[in-house]
Amino acid sequence: MSNLYTIPIALLLAVLCVNCEPLNRAYRAALQLESGITIISSTSQGKKGLTFVKEAHLVDFGIDLVGCRNWSDPNGMDCNAYSGDTLCTERRPVLCTKVDNSPRPAYIILGQGAAMPAYFYAGWNRGHIATTVPVQGSQFANRAAVDAYCAQSFGTGWNVAQFHDGMFISGMNGTTYSGASWTNNAKNQQSGGWHYYSYGDVRNDIRFWVHIKDQPSTCWAQ
Ligand SMILES: *[C@@H]1O[C@H](CO)[C@@H](O)[C@H](O)[C@H]1NC(C)=O
Ligand SMILES: *[C@@H]1O[C@H](CO)[C@@H](O)[C@H](O)[C@H]1NC(C)=O
């Protein structure tokens, strides 16, 4: 069912049952659509959310590379940062992160880059990642609810991981801009995207929900 049909139905149901939480949510989403903001209700049929996957683990540093791409899939890029890639009714772990300003370990920057230089795609999240048990993306009303779920799962300071969490310094590679040199050049750090490194060793058997700002590709509202 297309969203063109979903909007009037959501409005109708909201009038009938304003205090019912799921319908209320559909009503809010319909209002957002009416006001021209392209947030689509997670209760919309077929709504998809953005996911990452574990791409590598570097034993020497105890770090993971997480991102869009399942390298064992010959068909290429598996995530869709713009409209989501996994039905919100599916159960996936949430990728959570705790940023503690850990300096960048001396990992090597691989690849040629693409639209952006290679550093952009190999950022450092300045902390740790962990995955929750699998849950439906549609169970979260908004980002704050996902953050709260991460904190409930792992403790204070844990939040949902974001697409742009990886920070890079142009020219970083191996020991260049690692350790103290990373920290001392904090003013030159910029946000990357699509993939990043973090302390952790998360599961590799399933993709996980992540947040992205300014895109309608999350199961929850911003
Ligand atoms: C990083 O250094 C390695 C060699 O240590 C080199 O192969 C690689 O191309 C470098 N990466 C970039 C982005 O220059
Ligand atoms: C990665 O792709 C392979 C090949 O298509 C597939 O068997 C595997 O389940 C995928 N891994 C994840 C975590 O989705």
Side-chain angles (χ1 to χ4, degrees):
M1 186 165 63
S2 95
N3 289 315
L4 287 177
Y5 295 102
T6 312
I7 298 164
I9 291 169
L11 284 170
L12 177 66
L13 292 175
V15 169
L16 294 175
C17 182
V18 174
N19 293 319
C20 298
E21 174 50 26
L23 301 180
N24 218 5
R25 218 197 293 173
Y27 179 56
R28 284 204 309 274
L31 282 182
Q32 285 167 327
L33 282 170
E34 295 262 293
S35 65
I37 300 167
T38 53
I39 293 170
I40 297 165
S41 169
S42 56
T43 54
S44 300
Q45 279 187 20
K47 169 66 179 155
K48 290 181 175 179
L50 171 63
T51 63
F52 266 12
V53 71
K54 177 171 176 163
E55 298 180 354
H57 180 72
L58 276 61
V59 173
D60 285 356
F61 301 112
I63 61 177
D64 277 349
L65 175 64
V66 293
C68 269
R69 176 76 192 265
N70 175 352
W71 291 99
S72 47
D73 185 341
N75 296 322
M77 193 60 72
D78 298 289
C79 86
N80 186 326
Y82 308 105
S83 54
D85 48 76
T86 302
L87 284 171
C88 294
T89 49
E90 294 281 320
R91 288 179 179 275
R92 294 289 180 274
V94 177
L95 184 67
C96 302
T97 184
K98 185 170 188 180
V99 173
D100 61 6
N101 288 314
S102 297
R104 190 182 76 84
Y107 60 84
I108 297 294
I109 310 300
L110 300 172
Q112 304 297 315
M116 301 296 282
Y119 316 109
F120 179 92
Y121 304 101
W124 170 242
N125 83 335
R126 303 168 298 162
H128 302 254
I129 50 172
T131 53
T132 69
V133 297
V135 288
Q136 289 183 315
S138 56
Q139 82 174 54
F140 301 109
N142 50 39
R143 177 184 164 185
V146 198
D147 283 344
Y149 185 63
C150 284
Q152 180 193 320
S153 302
F154 302 116
T156 306
W158 286 85
N159 292 298
V160 62
Q162 298 195 57
F163 182 87
H164 291 103
D165 275 347
M167 304 296 288
F168 72 95
I169 298 175
S170 192
M172 72 183 192
N173 198 1
T175 55
T176 304
Y177 296 126
S178 74
S181 154
W182 168 265
T183 308
N184 293 338
N185 287 281
K187 65 176 189 305
N188 296 323
Q189 295 173 14
Q190 307 172 57
S191 281
W194 299 97
H195 319 263
Y196 66 76
Y197 289 89
S198 172
Y199 282 119
D201 190 2
V202 299
R203 60 193 294 176
N204 64 0
D205 62 328
I206 190 168
R207 301 183 68 89
F208 19 80
W209 303 119
V210 295
H211 185 74
I212 185 169
K213 62 174 162 38
D214 303 333
Q215 293 292 333
S217 53
T218 51
C219 294
W220 45 83
Q222 297 281 312

